[in-house]
Amino acid sequence: MATSADSSELGLDTALSTNTSLGASAILTGTSCPIHSLPDEILIAIFRLVVCPLTPLRDPSWMRRICLRWKSILDSTPSFWTCIREDEGPRRTQRALNLSQNQPLDVIFKCGPYSPVSPKSFMEDIGGSITRWRSLYLWGALQSGLGVMTSAQAPLLERMELKNFARHILLDESEDEAEIAEESEVITLFGGRPAPPTLKHFTLYNLPIALAPLQLSNLKSLTLRRVETASVQDLWQVLSRSPQLELLHLMWNHESELSAVSEGSRARQEIRLPSLREFKLESVLLDVCRLLLSALKLSSSCRLIVDREVYSDPLFSLLVPEIQHINFITQTAQEITLSPLLSRFLVTAGGFSIELYDSEPEIQVVRDAINFMKTRLGPNLSNPRIHLFLQDRYSPPSSSVLRMFDLQDQVTRLSLWSTLSPLSASTIHTFIPLLAQPTASSTNGWILPHLEIFNTNRVFRHGNPDIVDLVRVRNTRALAEPGVPRHLREIWLSLDESEGGADIPPDPEFMRAVLEVADGTEASAGHRLDEFMSEFLKTDYG
């Protein structure tokens, strides 16, 4: 059944091909429009800048409606039609399959609980093109919707992400026995044959896929979450065959693995993963955690992330001194960074992070994580600097995060980073005035009274007067009144990314105004914040 979008487009296509009374030469082909003096190659380059798989403009169908020439260019350029999504309707899906010709395909299905398209029907529509799949993203109630994947091979597949969100979970309904039985049945992919050697990125969430037959090897990233069909032996085989692995995320909390771990740990050989840059453990049984962290040999640049369930286990504290990698990546750290991110909160020292599952957790939970690092990660962190890092890359934090920290937390460094334009809904810039005035919500009347270093890229093309006020108030009052904030020691400023970032210095008049009120503070238009961001965002939080 055609959707309304499909129907309207069908009518438009008919009009474009049959209507001559409107003067197709001048109007529909637009020969009088200056843009039509551009050659096809230039128009194609412009179209590529407009059509992006990550935006609502990803579907090029709307540009086909402009005129016959644009329609002809788009229809004759297969690479514009290689992204297949379930939300574009069956007719558009079929058109994309036809117009993409023999090009590799990126297949995306992200199904909500009330989606009009089921995974099963979507896979039936695109199953015939499996030999062209380059990437596959399936999110939804997938148990009975994998279709052709259970029997046919995908020889070009480079990335596969299967996230099963059972319908009873999506709808907040209780599951029945039939659903339980269906969701526990082991699924074999590709007819029991190995995965294609082109597969480099593999993500599996809450789906009982048999891993052993896939013989996964030479992976660049591996994520396994709630995959109860996976054994430690399966995992070990994949890791030993993937020496260039760069990202490893594991949620491993099924009790059945306890015996397998104890039996197999005696014969394990170390596995070297020199390229691994991020290793994340969520709800991992301590025996599995001990095995992995003792046997895997990681590079000094590998970031290790554990969640609260792992680090709060008293036995993990006893295990830390045995884990050479934790000691190595934190031995020079003198600062603990606190950062809310999406629905999580990271507490980081060097290359080691504790992840809390709440963007604004209770302050005592944060303090417990800080105390763990102070007492378990070596003498260099016994009296650390505290760095609060707020950014809006995924979702803007609220100002209440600033108010979480009172006198006993002693945040001495604050970074405010924005990736959004000044006209966006970002709230980052509204935090700056809060730091320049007393507030009743803080213990001693001031937010972050111990602040000494201030970093921000929320400097606009012609400066930001709120920053001038912040420096003036903090520095003059610190000298004149007891019990008020400390004198700022360093200020690092750069332009918002949308206006050029650190490559363009802030307005000279603005910098002069900052220096006039700095009163000895080191105020710089430099790269410090950008360098920190580039390092911090190497972590993949997607």
Side-chain angles (χ1 to χ4, degrees):
M1 179 178 173
T3 64
S4 58
D6 289 337
S7 300
S8 62
E9 191 169 325
L10 177 62
L12 182 62
D13 287 347
T14 303
L16 285 173
S17 60
T18 61
N19 192 338
T20 58
S21 63
L22 295 177
S25 175
I27 298 177
L28 295 180
T29 60
T31 54
S32 61
C33 182
I35 195 172
H36 286 291
S37 63
L38 296 176
D40 289 358
E41 293 79 7
I42 299 298
L43 277 176
I44 290 173
I46 294 173
F47 292 164
R48 292 197 193 286
L49 295 175
V50 174
V51 178
C52 173
L54 302 179
T55 71
L57 300 179
R58 62 182 179 270
D59 180 10
S61 295
W62 65 273
M63 288 194 294
R64 298 174 77 249
R65 308 177 189 180
I66 304 302
C67 64
L68 283 174
R69 185 187 177 208
W70 286 26
K71 180 177 182 295
S72 175
I73 291 173
L74 288 164
D75 289 358
S76 60
T77 309
S79 57
F80 280 121
W81 304 96
T82 57
C83 183
I84 310 294
R85 300 182 62 106
E86 96 288 345
D87 57 358
E88 291 168 358
R91 185 171 177 272
R92 291 185 182 181
T93 294
Q94 193 57 52
R95 176 193 293 122
L97 290 173
N98 294 335
L99 294 178
S100 60
Q101 298 180 17
N102 294 320
Q103 294 288 310
L105 300 175
D106 300 307
V107 179
I108 302 172
F109 180 94
K110 295 185 178 181
C111 176
Y114 300 104
S115 175
V117 182
S118 69
K120 184 176 182 180
S121 61
F122 179 70
M123 293 298 285
E124 288 174 352
D125 289 340
I126 65 168
S129 64
I130 190 172
T131 56
R132 293 200 283 140
W133 293 358
R134 174 174 52 197
S135 64
L136 177 67
Y137 300 84
L138 297 182
W139 296 9
L142 304 182
Q143 192 69 30
S144 60
L146 296 180
V148 69
M149 289 185 61
T150 60
S151 57
Q153 289 185 296
L156 302 182
L157 199 60
E158 299 173 7
R159 183 182 295 268
M160 182 162 63
E161 187 170 300
L162 305 178
K163 294 187 176 183
N164 181 42
F165 302 100
R167 187 170 179 81
H168 73 271
I169 296 175
L170 292 171
L171 295 175
D172 194 25
E173 296 174 350
S174 60
E175 55 185 333
D176 57 30
E177 293 183 2
E179 287 178 310
I180 295 175
E182 182 183 30
E183 292 179 11
S184 61
E185 184 177 347
V186 178
I187 301 171
T188 302
L189 299 180
F190 309 128
R193 294 180 288 269
T198 53
L199 186 63
K200 302 300 180 186
H201 305 275
F202 185 76
T203 294
L204 195 56
Y205 183 101
N206 197 33
L207 199 62
I209 299 292
L211 285 188
L214 294 176
Q215 300 182 32
L216 297 170
S217 62
N218 295 314
L219 295 180
K220 291 295 185 71
S221 68
L222 173 65
T223 298
L224 299 175
R225 305 185 74 219
R226 296 176 180 166
V227 184
E228 299 196 5
T229 50
S231 69
V232 172
Q233 181 64 31
D234 292 335
L235 176 63
W236 215 256
Q237 290 295 324
V238 176
L239 296 180
S240 63
R241 293 192 295 250
S242 300
Q244 299 305 310
L245 195 69
E246 298 175 0
L247 185 144
L248 177 59
H249 287 186
L250 299 174
M251 175 183 278
W252 204 284
N253 57 3
H254 35 290
E255 296 290 341
S256 60
E257 283 304 307
L258 285 173
S259 58
V261 174
S262 59
E263 291 172 3
S265 59
R266 294 190 297 270
R268 303 294 180 196
Q269 296 181 347
E270 70 175 35
I271 296 177
R272 295 188 177 275
L273 298 175
S275 301
L276 197 67
R277 59 181 174 83
E278 181 175 310
F279 183 15
K280 182 175 178 180
L281 297 168
E282 299 178 73
S283 305
V284 176
L285 297 175
L286 194 64
D287 284 339
V288 178
C289 185
R290 181 192 299 270
L291 172 63
L292 293 171
L293 291 176
S294 61
L296 297 182
K297 301 305 176 184
L298 312 175
S299 74
S300 59
S301 60
C302 177
R303 181 185 297 272
L304 177 62
I305 303 172
V306 301
D307 69 351
R308 187 183 179 192
E309 289 188 37
V310 172
Y311 99 87
S312 60
D313 188 322
L315 295 178
F316 183 75
S317 295
L318 300 176
L319 177 64
V320 167
E322 302 176 18
I323 304 174
Q324 294 182 357
H325 185 69
I326 292 182
N327 298 326
F328 190 74
I329 61 180
T330 60
Q331 65 182 354
T332 60
Q334 296 181 337
E335 181 176 88
I336 294 177
T337 298
L338 314 176
S339 178
L341 191 73
L342 283 177
S343 60
R344 294 162 289 174
F345 193 101
L346 286 178
V347 181
T348 302
F352 178 66
S353 295
I354 293 174
E355 185 176 81
L356 308 174
Y357 291 106
D358 191 342
S359 60
E360 296 183 19
E362 294 181 7
I363 185 61
Q364 190 55 50
V365 174
V366 179
R367 288 174 182 152
D368 288 345
I370 293 174
N371 289 334
F372 173 87
M373 291 184 169
K374 285 182 177 181
T375 57
R376 297 294 178 179
L377 299 187
N380 52 301
L381 284 170
S382 59
N383 186 29
R385 298 188 300 268
I386 305 297
H387 175 199
L388 181 59
F389 171 57
L390 305 178
Q391 54 94 19
D392 59 9
R393 186 184 186 199
Y394 297 104
S395 60
S398 70
S399 60
S400 60
V401 175
L402 290 175
R403 297 184 172 92
M404 285 172 58
F405 304 99
D406 59 18
L407 289 171
Q408 66 175 296
D409 299 295
Q410 298 197 12
V411 172
T412 59
R413 180 180 175 191
L414 174 66
S415 296
L416 300 179
W417 175 272
S418 178
T419 58
L420 305 177
S421 75
L423 300 179
S424 69
S426 174
T427 58
I428 287 289
H429 68 280
T430 65
F431 296 175
I432 299 174
L434 296 176
L435 300 168
Q437 58 188 346
T439 172
S441 61
S442 185
T443 302
N444 75 334
W446 290 84
I447 294 175
L448 307 186
H450 298 278
L451 188 65
E452 296 180 356
I453 303 174
F454 178 65
N455 299 328
T456 187
N457 75 332
R458 210 56 175 160
V459 178
F460 310 127
R461 179 71 63 178
H462 300 292
N464 186 337
D466 288 338
I467 294 175
V468 179
D469 289 342
L470 167 63
V471 178
R472 177 190 297 111
V473 169
R474 287 263 171 167
N475 286 2
T476 57
R477 292 207 175 195
L479 295 174
E481 303 174 26
V484 297
R486 290 184 182 178
H487 193 287
L488 290 175
R489 189 160 49 84
E490 296 179 23
I491 306 167
W492 292 82
L493 307 172
S494 60
L495 255 64
D496 185 277
E497 276 193 351
S498 63
E499 300 195 48
D503 293 332
I504 300 178
D507 178 71
E509 291 299 320
F510 163 71
M511 288 302 299
R512 187 176 296 113
V514 171
L515 290 171
E516 286 177 356
V517 298
D519 192 26
T521 298
E522 180 184 349
S524 302
H527 293 256
R528 176 172 292 191
L529 180 59
D530 297 83
E531 291 169 357
F532 173 80
M533 275 297 300
S534 64
E535 184 66 26
F536 189 86
L537 293 178
K538 285 180 182 178
T539 302
D540 185 351
Y541 298 105

